[in-house]
Amino acid sequence: MSEHIAPLAADTVPAWDETVDVVVVGYGIAGASAALEAQRAGAEVLVVEGTSGPGGASITSSGIFYLGGGTALQRELGHEDDPETMYRFLLASSSTPDAAIVRAYCSGSPAHFDWLEAQGVPFERSYFGGKSVILTDTTGLFSTGNEKVWPYREIARPAPRGHKVAGQGEHAGAVAMNAILATCRAEQVPAMVDTRVSALVTGDEGGVVGVRARRDGSDVYLRARRGVVLGTGGFTFNPAMLAEHVPQLAATSEPLGIPSNDGSGIVLGMSAGAGTHGMGGIIATGSFYPPSGLIRGILVNQRGERFVAEDSYHGRTAAFIMEQPDQKAYLIVDAETFAYPKITSHRHSLVDGWETVEEMEQALAMPAGALVTTLSTYNECAERGEDVQFLKHPDWLVPLTNGPWAAFDLSFTTSSYLFMTLGGLRTNADAQVLTPQGHPVVGLYAAGACASTIAQDGKGYASGLSLGPGSFFGRIAGCHAARRRAV
Ligand SMILES: Cc1cc2nc3c(=O)[nH]c(=O)nc-3n(C[C@H](O)[C@H](O)[C@H](O)COP(=O)(O)OP(=O)(O)OC[C@H]3O[C@@H](n4cnc5c(N)ncnc54)[C@H](O)[C@@H]3O)c2cc1C
């Protein structure tokens, strides 16, 4: 880690400016959820936010929560799901899963949906059955991951688990976050804004007993009798940490979030002895669909070979594109499947159209015969309704035999992929921060994008796996901290 902040020993603190039970650092969805539950559990709470107002990246989000196991919304819309099926799916989706964390999330997911509604977060009883990246209307439920993609569809019965808040537009997450913040205000959760935490304070035995923060040009010292909860977001806006952990990002990659998602909570946690997990994991998105008809095309690399099932979740596709030679990829379509990608901001440019596949292969500088072979093999499989190579779902299989053919450039190095980090502090199912050896750092909790929980990389990500676990483990952190013996 390029930056290192040492913790402060409690006996060097000049004077405590405030003493509470639980200090929550960061006022996004993880911090707000932690604060609400800690206060409800009887703790005196203080939320400390570095920027001038609450909300974090959470308030700018699309408002999708990945929930399931039989939520009220799933049940009322007639979609069968249970915690065990969801658990099998998420376990398979995670590169190095912590089974206890995944289990806790799946078992608690139906009740967590109820909790969100009880905080005033609205979910419409409506379902979208198509394939989409986000929904800009108020529809409540849709599939947002790889559930129907092989091998996942054989591991766990697919169920739609993207629970989307009833808000319009691309940033409907504001509807969810504003509801939670209104609940915080109604319950008079104390908060300080423009107050950035710069160090953790540790006690005699190394446990975390407070924080130092910068406010109005001066240092303030805030004592936490029962615990400190970090909810500071990821490190998407920290170039040094990105260079260290995610060197495969391209010059055209665009960070998704807010500038204060600069990894400070991760660095603070490490200063107190915390370990990290999955720091190289990101979710990158540069979806070529909608329109979903483009999924009928094929994705090939510079060698003219397919490398992923085209019906994968867009984050999974991007993760595979990042691994291809020179990070190059093309979407190949024929005259029947041709359409322009709707999301123009990803800048997937149309390379050209060609009368023959041989001409296309040559123009794309692929090895002679490679694309011709790939396409004819694919077309034979599509005729039979069976993709033997990547088991793309038969719903999307059609022979691409109607020339002319066209290619869109989806290369990671030229298109514009949005990304955010998924790695963070190592935690357990109680949201306690752990040392590299797996022991709790006494008095320290983390939730949201500064913690590593369920979502670990783009190949297994599903939309909603940030807001869902972030709010869920935020609540757990708040409850656990509130119940600790005061020091
Ligand atoms: C456009 C967009 C759309 C998205 N859509 C979705 C979606 O639909 N579903 C989904 O699951 N995820 C989505 N995400 C990701 C998701 O929004 C984030 O992962 C999630 O909001 C993180 O929540 P958090 O509470 O951990 O962090 P944040 O909401 O970012 O809150 C962290 C807070 O901590 C503060 N902070 C940081 N350091 C300090 C410090 N040292 N001292 C004090 N305060 C500090 C920050 O200022 C910030 O307010 C989206 C992200 C974006 C940008």
Side-chain angles (χ1 to χ4, degrees), residues 1 34 42 83 117-118 132 198 225 229 259 279 299 357 422 424 457 463 478-479:
M1 182 85 50
E117 289 208 308
S132 183
S198 55
R225 284 184 293 243
V229 180
M279 292 293 281
L299 293 171
V357 180
L422 299 175
D457 61 35
S463 294
C479 285

Coordinates of all heavy atoms in Angstrom, one line a residue, residues 1 34 42 83 117-118 132 198 225 229 259 279 299 357 422 424 457 463 478-479:
M1 N 0.9 -1.2 0.0 CA 0.0 0.0 0.0 C 0.9 1.2 0.0 O 1.8 1.3 0.8 CB -0.9 -0.1 1.3 CG -1.8 1.1 1.4 SD -3.4 0.8 0.6 CE -3.9 -0.8 1.1
A34 N -25.6 1.5 9.5 CA -24.9 1.2 10.8 C -25.4 2.2 11.9 O -25.7 1.7 13.0 CB -23.4 1.3 10.6
G42 N -29.6 1.2 21.3 CA -29.4 1.9 22.5 C -28.0 2.6 22.7 O -27.7 3.2 23.7
P83 N -33.4 -19.1 0.5 CA -32.0 -18.7 0.8 C -30.9 -19.7 0.4 O -29.8 -19.3 0.0 CB -32.1 -18.7 2.4 CG -33.5 -18.4 2.7 CD -34.3 -19.1 1.6
E117 N -37.9 -1.5 3.2 CA -39.2 -0.9 3.1 C -39.6 -0.1 4.3 O -40.2 0.9 4.2 CB -40.2 -2.0 2.7 CG -40.0 -2.5 1.3 CD -41.3 -3.0 0.6 OE1 -42.0 -3.8 1.3 OE2 -41.6 -2.6 -0.5
A118 N -39.3 -0.7 5.5 CA -39.7 0.0 6.7 C -39.0 1.3 6.9 O -39.5 2.2 7.6 CB -39.4 -1.0 7.9
S132 N -31.4 -6.2 -19.3 CA -31.1 -4.8 -19.3 C -30.0 -4.5 -18.3 O -29.8 -5.3 -17.4 CB -32.4 -4.0 -18.9 OG -32.1 -2.7 -19.0
S198 N -8.8 11.3 9.9 CA -7.4 11.2 9.4 C -6.6 10.1 10.1 O -5.5 9.8 9.7 CB -6.7 12.5 9.5 OG -6.8 13.0 10.9
R225 N -16.6 4.6 22.7 CA -16.5 3.6 23.9 C -16.7 2.2 23.4 O -16.2 1.2 24.0 CB -17.6 3.9 24.9 CG -17.2 5.1 25.8 CD -18.3 5.3 26.9 NE -19.6 5.7 26.3 CZ -20.2 6.9 26.5 NH1 -19.6 7.8 27.3 NH2 -21.3 7.1 25.9
V229 N -17.1 2.3 13.2 CA -17.5 1.6 12.0 C -17.0 2.4 10.8 O -17.3 3.6 10.7 CB -19.1 1.5 11.9 CG1 -19.5 0.8 10.7 CG2 -19.7 0.7 13.2
P259 N -15.3 11.5 -5.7 CA -13.8 11.7 -5.4 C -13.4 11.2 -4.0 O -12.3 10.7 -3.8 CB -13.6 13.2 -5.6 CG -14.6 13.6 -6.6 CD -15.9 12.7 -6.2
M279 N -8.1 -7.1 -3.3 CA -7.9 -5.8 -3.7 C -7.8 -5.6 -5.2 O -8.0 -4.5 -5.7 CB -6.6 -5.2 -3.0 CG -6.7 -5.1 -1.5 SD -7.9 -3.8 -1.1 CE -6.9 -2.3 -1.3
L299 N -18.8 -12.6 -29.6 CA -17.6 -11.8 -29.2 C -16.4 -12.6 -29.5 O -16.3 -13.8 -29.2 CB -17.7 -11.6 -27.7 CG -18.9 -10.7 -27.2 CD1 -19.0 -10.7 -25.7 CD2 -18.7 -9.3 -27.7
V357 N -16.9 -13.0 -44.8 CA -16.2 -13.1 -43.5 C -14.7 -13.1 -43.7 O -14.0 -12.5 -42.8 CB -16.7 -14.5 -42.8 CG1 -16.0 -14.6 -41.4 CG2 -18.2 -14.5 -42.6
L422 N -13.8 -3.4 -5.8 CA -14.6 -4.3 -4.9 C -13.8 -4.8 -3.8 O -14.4 -5.3 -2.8 CB -15.1 -5.5 -5.8 CG -16.0 -5.2 -7.0 CD1 -16.3 -6.4 -7.8 CD2 -17.3 -4.5 -6.5
G424 N -11.3 -4.7 -0.4 CA -11.3 -3.9 0.8 C -10.9 -4.6 2.0 O -10.2 -5.6 2.0
D457 N -15.3 -9.9 -7.8 CA -14.7 -9.5 -9.1 C -15.8 -9.4 -10.1 O -17.0 -9.8 -9.9 CB -13.6 -10.5 -9.6 CG -14.2 -11.9 -9.7 OD1 -15.3 -12.1 -10.1 OD2 -13.4 -12.9 -9.5
S463 N -25.6 -6.7 -10.5 CA -26.0 -5.4 -10.1 C -26.8 -5.4 -8.8 O -27.7 -6.3 -8.7 CB -26.8 -4.7 -11.2 OG -26.0 -4.4 -12.3
G478 N -23.4 -1.9 13.0 CA -24.0 -1.0 14.0 C -24.5 -1.8 15.2 O -24.2 -1.4 16.3
C479 N -25.2 -2.9 15.0 CA -25.7 -3.7 16.1 C -24.6 -4.3 16.9 O -24.7 -4.2 18.1 CB -26.5 -4.9 15.5 SG -28.1 -4.4 14.9

